[in-house]
Each structure stands twice: as C-alpha cells, then as structure tokens.
Amino acid sequence: VVDQIRLWQIEGERMKPTVGYLFKDFASGQEYEGICKYAEEVGVLVWKNDAKRMFFVTRVEQVKKFLENKAKSAAAGANGG
Amino acid sequence: MPKAVKGVLVECDESIRAIILKIDAVNHDFIIEDLDDRTLVVKETKLPELKRRLEEELRDTQDEPKDSGSERD
C-alpha cells in the first residue's frame, strides 16, 4: 500500500509527464519566435526556452500546417507570385 | 526547417531529474533531450519503465539507507 501511495506521489507531485512534440533546430531566432508565438496562440504550447530555441507542444497538427503554409508562401514569393 | 520530435515532457524537481539522469546513464535509451534542471523530454515508449525504475530507486534510497557497494542490474 505504501508503494502505491508513493507511485501516486511521483506522478502527482514530483513528476508531471506531458505527451507531445519537442520542436528544435530552428534556422534563426526569428523563425523560432514566429512559430513559438503561433503555438502559444493556438493553445498547444506547454514549455519553451528562448535561449535554446526549443519549445514543447501537446499537439503538432496546427503547427505543422503553419510551417507548411509558411514554406509555401516563401516559395511563392521566390517565384514571383 | 525545424525538427519535431515525439516524446514526453517531464517536469519534475531536481532530485527526480538527477535520478532519471542516473537511470539513463546506463544505456542512454530514455532521454531524448535534457532541457533544464527541472525539465526533460523522454521516449514515450520508455515512460512506464522509467516510472518503475524511478520507483525502485526511491524505494532503495528511502527504505534501506545502506551504503552504496551493492550495485545491481
């Protein structure tokens, strides 16, 4: 019984696990800022570190879409429209 | 293009993190990224095993205050 209680203690107080995705390896601080801000706006951001340029999100779909759209518009811009 | 790595963000106190680092040090197969002194990202598939190992470590340190001479696998 004591062991069971301790298990609860680990999970409940001493350790909080959150399943999701870690984003890293951003090309620039500007790229990091933009995507991190978007993740925060859509409410999926749970952790970030500006110095390391890394952040953690609970859901990846919206952020991936955002990245794809960004890449598309960048490509369109490079092609002149 | 940034990378997105699937995993479990573990927010814990520093003593728990120290134990997780110790567990990972054996085979380096739990931790994906060591973020700061209270935050780690670990492999999702290894989380149940990590919890179990953590539990063992805590039990060992709390129940038997024996000096460390008996390392076991």
Side-chain angles (χ1 to χ4, degrees):
Chain A
V1 181
V2 176
D3 284 352
Q4 288 298 323
I5 292 167
R6 234 180 246 145
L7 258 175
W8 276 100
Q9 280 178 341
I10 291 177
E11 175 114 6
E13 297 163 30
R14 306 190 66 181
M15 168 178 165
K16 184 184 159 213
T18 310
V19 177
Y21 293 81
L22 177 74
F23 277 81
K24 58 176 188 175
D25 298 348
F26 289 92
S28 67
Q30 201 181 5
E31 185 187 36
Y32 162 80
E33 291 279 341
I35 298 163
C36 187
K37 194 165 163 244
Y38 177 77
E40 195 163 16
E41 277 168 11
V42 296
V44 297
L45 187 78
V46 285
W47 179 93
K48 68 173 177 140
N49 184 313
D50 294 343
K52 287 190 168 162
R53 285 184 193 162
M54 290 183 189
F55 63 83
F56 196 90
V57 296
T58 49
R59 300 182 66 84
V60 77
E61 295 83 4
Q62 288 160 297
V63 180
K64 274 207 169 145
K65 256 227 154 71
F66 180 76
L67 280 168
E68 281 164 19
N69 289 339
K70 242 175 81 110
K72 257 184 233 161
S73 65
N79 294 333
Chain B
M1 228 8 197
K3 252 194 270 177
V5 189
K6 192 163 201 282
V8 183
L9 184 80
V10 173
E11 294 166 277
C12 55
D13 58 46
E14 287 172 47
S15 59
I16 296 286
R17 174 178 168 272
I19 299 171
I20 295 174
L21 289 180
K22 189 181 145 195
I23 293 169
D24 180 74
V26 181
N27 287 317
H28 297 287
D29 55 355
F30 289 93
I31 297 174
I32 294 170
E33 197 84 44
D34 183 12
L35 295 173
D36 60 39
D37 57 7
R38 291 173 165 271
T39 326
L40 300 153
V41 177
V42 302
K43 291 177 189 169
E44 190 180 5
T45 52
K46 303 286 276 186
L47 186 67
E49 190 186 338
L50 182 65
K51 277 189 196 163
R52 190 168 50 75
R53 297 275 294 275
L54 202 51
E55 185 62 25
E56 282 171 11
E57 290 283 340
L58 287 172
R59 193 164 45 216
D60 285 354
T61 51
Q62 285 171 11
D63 287 357
E64 325 164 49
K66 61 175 185 226
D67 41 48
S68 60
S70 53
E71 281 289 308
R72 56 153 198 254
D73 284 321

